[in-house]
Amino acid sequence: DTAVSQTPKYLVTQMGNDKSIKCEQNLGHDTMYWYKQDSKKFLKIMFSYNNKELIINETVPNRFSPKSPDKAHLNLHINSLELGDSAVYFCASSHRVGTPDGYTFGSGTRLTVV
Amino acid sequence: QKEVEQNSGPLSVPEGAIASLNCTYSDRGSQSFFWYRQYSGKSPELIMSIYSNGDKEDGRFTAQLNKASQYVSLLIRDSQPSDSATYLCAALPGSNYQLIWGAGTKLIIKP
C-alpha cells in the first residue's frame, strides 16, 4: 500500500518535448512538495502546495508548472524540455507546513532529456 | 540565509566500527532536525528525528543535538555494509517553514 506514488518512474524524452509527472499520496497529508535532485545529490525545493494552495514557488523556470487538483494529488508539467532538466524529481508530502514529523517521499522520477 | 552544511565525504568506515556523521546549521531558531538515508537510486527515507538537546537512541542509531553549538550528529554503531548510503541532514527553522536540507554525506562501510 504505497504512501506516496509517482508515475512514471523513468522518463526519456527529446529536447523541446512537453511531459508530465504525476504524484498521489494516501497519507491524508495536507502539504505536498516537488523536489529536484541533481547528479550531486542536492535536494532542491521547487514547489509546495498546502491544501491545493501554492505556498512555495522557488526560482524555477516558468516552463515548470505544478497543479494540485486536490490535496492528495500534485502533478508537475514541464514544457519545452531542455538538457539541463535531466535529474531525478521527487514528490513528497507532510502533515502540514512546518510539521516536526518530517516528509515522506515518493520513489522518484528519473528524467533524461536527450 | 538559512543553511545546513555537511561534509560530502565519502566517509569510509570498517564494518563493525562506529560511523559518525556531522551536520551544522545556521539558523539558531531551528527547532527540529532530521536524518534521512538515501540508497543509490532510491528515495530519501527518514531514520531519525530529534528536537531536544542531548542524545536520542533508536537501535544502532543515535542522534545528538547541541543547539548551543548548532550541530547535529548521527552515530551508527556496529556499522554494516547495508548502512552504505548517502545521509541527508535537514533542519526545520520554524512552524511555518519548509525543511532546509544539507547536501548529504556519502558513507561507505567496508567489509
Side-chain angles (χ1 to χ4, degrees):
Chain A
D1 194 22
T2 306
V4 181
S5 60
Q6 283 179 241
T7 54
K9 191 169 176 63
Y10 299 97
L11 191 50
V12 181
T13 188
Q14 290 186 326
M15 283 176 56
N17 283 351
D18 303 339
K19 290 294 179 185
S20 292
I21 307 171
K22 295 187 175 182
C23 179
E24 176 181 2
Q25 54 96 3
N26 62 4
L27 298 167
H29 288 171
D30 285 347
T31 310
M32 296 184 73
Y33 311 82
W34 277 113
Y35 278 91
K36 179 181 180 181
Q37 188 173 48
D38 59 26
S39 56
K40 294 184 178 179
K41 298 294 187 184
F42 187 72
L43 274 172
K44 181 180 177 184
I45 183 75
M46 300 175 70
F47 303 102
S48 176
Y49 272 74
N50 187 63
N51 271 323
K52 302 191 299 178
E53 181 184 343
L54 180 65
I55 56 171
I56 295 172
N57 185 358
E58 293 292 314
T59 307
V60 174
N62 58 16
R63 298 181 293 103
F64 291 80
S65 52
K67 196 166 208 178
S68 182
D70 55 60
K71 76 172 192 176
H73 295 83
L74 179 60
N75 304 322
L76 183 65
H77 187 75
I78 315 170
N79 289 324
S80 303
L81 279 154
E82 300 178 356
L83 293 176
D85 298 332
S86 295
V88 180
Y89 292 83
F90 286 105
C91 176
S93 71
S94 65
H95 281 291
R96 53 176 172 79
V97 178
T99 179
D101 302 326
Y103 297 177
T104 302
F105 283 83
S107 58
T109 297
R110 182 173 293 276
L111 172 65
T112 303
V113 182
V114 296
Chain B
Q1 187 171 353
K2 299 175 175 50
E3 292 182 337
V4 171
E5 295 194 358
Q6 297 179 254
N7 188 322
S8 62
L11 175 66
S12 185
V13 174
E15 184 176 356
I18 296 175
S20 178
L21 302 160
N22 299 311
C23 166
T24 60
Y25 59 95
S26 63
D27 181 23
R28 193 169 281 280
S30 293
Q31 302 172 356
S32 306
F33 304 87
F34 306 87
W35 284 100
Y36 284 76
R37 177 177 62 199
Q38 186 175 22
Y39 292 116
S40 180
K42 301 294 185 182
S43 59
E45 58 174 325
L46 180 65
I47 55 171
M48 290 286 287
S49 57
I50 187 165
Y51 315 118
S52 304
N53 273 331
D55 295 0
K56 179 181 178 183
E57 188 174 319
D58 184 0
R60 295 186 297 111
F61 297 94
T62 299
Q64 299 176 318
L65 173 59
N66 184 323
K67 289 187 177 180
S69 300
Q70 294 178 241
Y71 82 78
V72 191
S73 61
L74 180 69
L75 302 178
I76 307 174
R77 289 183 300 281
D78 187 23
S79 297
Q80 302 297 309
S82 59
D83 295 325
S84 297
T86 295
Y87 289 79
L88 300 165
C89 175
L92 186 63
S95 59
N96 292 321
Y97 288 89
Q98 49 152 332
L99 285 180
I100 307 299
W101 295 87
T105 298
K106 184 173 183 178
L107 176 66
I108 299 172
I109 306 299
K110 291 189 171 181

